[in-house]
Amino acid sequence: MRIQTLAIVGVGLIGGSIGLAAKRRGIAERILGVGRRSTSLATAQELGAIDEGVLELLPAVRRAQVVVFCTPVDGIAEQILTAAPSCAPGTLLTDAGSTKAKIVRSVDGRLPQGVHFVGSHPLAGSEKQGAQHADVDLFQNRITVVTQTAQTDSAALERTASLWQALGSRVKILAPEAHDQALALTSHLPHLLAAALAGILPPEFNELTASGFRDTTRVAAGDPLLWTAIFEHNRTAVLEALSLLNGRMDQFRAALEASDWNALKDLLNQAKGIRDALGS
Amino acid sequence: MRIQTLAIVGVGLIGGSIGLAAKRRGIAERILGVGRRSTSLATAQELGAIDEGVLELLPAVRRAQVVVFCTPVDGIAEQILTAAPSCAPGTLLTDAGSTKAKIVRSVDGRLPQGVHFVGSHPLAGSEKQGAQHADVDLFQNRITVVTQTAQTDSAALERTASLWQALGSRVKILAPEAHDQALALTSHLPHLLAAALAGILPPEFNELTASGFRDTTRVAAGDPLLWTAIFEHNRTAVLEALSLLNGRMDQFRAALEASDWNALKDLLNQAKGIRDALGS
């Protein structure tokens, strides 16, 4: 993978990390960062994540062969549809959004001839925000989901997969809906849970929290605006995952209410087996 | 704090860490480790957490001025009542159990003249087990709850507080029931949640988990036997905490069902404010 000009739209934690990794690995000759605030662009440039900051989308995408949208999920589809008519034929557009079906289905079939979009989601990140938290190794050995639909151009799919592999990631190809169903359970539901748990902590108990509470609620520090948009995109799958979890929590509650310690131990054993298999 | 002979009953992660910290900080001249398996005692001795391993409780406590019970919560009260008649007058007994009311109330008023028990709980630990994971700095700047009841001897309370301070900890004095109510929310409920979430992960989604899922479920790797005993001890308070959480989760569900994104954002904002206040 060797790109003459790579444009990164949104240079926060993810966009900044893509820039750093693309530089370090010699993937792009020139990296343009597109953002609305010149201070963020200046930070990204000082960190070496981009070569040049650009405040306007269209002039940037005109110069790029590959554009990666790293903006909040509720803006990505519109930005792609806005950018595409300005792109040269052969331009590859992809993204790093946490949801895929709404974005991919909004774009599918609506791009000019020769301009392709393939959805992506690197399963890496943090509750932190901003290019100042960018990490050159963020994608190293992580999975990036790349989406495929009946409309997906196979050459564009391959280029997208190659891009993420070049950035250090392993690639898994899924339908957008399969991605969203899985992530509802592996990412969006944990966020909801963490936020529910953090939300009921009375301030006088703060000093009585230890690493267990902090680990379990860490993601609740994520940006509420970004996460509201994710929940809006993936509402149905999250509600299904929540029902599944509520059923499981009812089993815990029933065991506690009945003082059925064998049943409780079995539930804890199953959970430990599954968690141990994930590693640290 | 200067102890001639300190006995640590149960030399796992917590007991081993007490031994390492007591050595490093010159708190005890001699440290006896009491355990049922000579291999664990040998490991603790090799790591420098204890000077001598002893397989029998009574000969060890006879020689000690301070005894710390670091065994599972369901055995602590009985071990204290068994040990106390063999202790010399003036011996201080304390523990490191994750629940306090059942233990403290089982022991209160049942010890020989001159032998005192004061309940303790260092809010430090890990989902890992065994002296091989002991950490000399485990208690550094952490809170240790030391319990007080109408029966608590005030000199023994002070010695217990001094012991934990000497080990690096800050001390907070609470009634056993107040401790259990707080920890139901800050530790036991997070464990239940983490186990419920881990328990519903289908194996085919393993590779689609990232740091969010792993953080949120980390504690579910803890020992199911230890945790079953904790839930048994603190059943009522955990059920109350679970009801509180279910109420909050219902608010999230209602916002999702109604597509009320302002309400969802408010819930996420509240959670972020509380979580941010805890620090990393």
Side-chain angles (χ1 to χ4, degrees), chain A residues 172 235 246 253 256, chain B residues 172 207 235 246 253 256:
Chain A
K172 186 173 175 76
R235 174 180 172 274
N246 277 327
R253 180 208 291 271
L256 279 164
Chain B
K172 185 172 176 74
E207 63 177 342
R235 173 179 172 273
N246 277 327
R253 181 209 290 271
L256 280 164

Side-chain angles (χ1 to χ4, degrees), chain A residues 149-208:
Chain A
T149 70
Q151 272 92 18
T152 304
D153 178 85
S154 59
L157 181 73
E158 263 187 45
R159 281 176 80 198
T160 307
S162 298
L163 171 65
W164 290 106
Q165 283 159 353
L167 291 168
S169 192
R170 288 177 295 137
V171 166
K172 186 173 175 76
I173 294 171
L174 285 176
E177 290 74 17
H179 166 275
D180 286 5
Q181 208 191 344
L183 271 286
L185 193 59
T186 62
S187 172
H188 311 162
L189 181 63
H191 194 94
L192 187 158
L193 261 190
L197 181 58
I200 60 168
L201 184 75
E204 66 269 25
F205 286 180
N206 281 13
E207 62 179 341
L208 297 173

Side-chain angles (χ1 to χ4, degrees), chain A residues 172 186 193 195 198 207-208 213-215 217 221 224 235 246 253 256-257 259 269 271-272 274-275 278 280, chain B residues 172 186 193 195 198 207-208 213-215 217 221 224 235 246 253 256-257 259 269 271-272 274-275 278:
Chain A
K172 186 173 175 76
T186 62
L193 261 190
E207 62 179 341
L208 297 173
F213 192 90
R214 283 155 204 250
D215 283 347
T217 59
R235 174 180 172 274
N246 277 327
R253 180 208 291 271
L256 279 164
E257 280 177 347
S259 297
N269 262 322
K272 177 176 170 55
I274 294 170
R275 184 59 186 82
L278 297 180
S280 55
Chain B
K172 185 172 176 74
T186 62
L193 262 190
E207 63 177 342
L208 297 174
F213 192 91
R214 284 155 203 251
D215 282 347
T217 59
R235 173 179 172 273
N246 277 327
R253 181 209 290 271
L256 280 164
E257 279 177 348
S259 297
N269 262 322
K272 176 175 170 58
I274 294 170
R275 184 61 185 81
L278 296 180

Side-chain angles (χ1 to χ4, degrees), chain B residues 1-6 22-23 26-31 51:
Chain B
M1 194 83 192
R2 182 78 194 155
I3 303 162
Q4 206 188 329
T5 302
L6 169 68
K23 282 265 175 207
I27 296 167
E29 274 176 43
R30 187 154 189 85
I31 302 180
D51 296 306

Side-chain angles (χ1 to χ4, degrees), chain B residues 108-151:
Chain B
D108 257 4
R110 298 177 64 188
L111 297 186
Q113 188 75 20
V115 176
H116 297 290
F117 169 69
V118 177
S120 306
H121 179 205
L123 305 188
S126 161
E127 72 283 1
K128 293 171 186 152
Q129 293 169 60
Q132 66 274 23
H133 295 114
D135 174 1
V136 67
D137 291 321
L138 190 67
F139 309 110
Q140 187 70 43
N141 295 323
R142 302 301 188 88
I143 291 269
T144 295
V145 175
V146 173
T147 66
Q148 183 171 32
T149 71
Q151 271 91 19

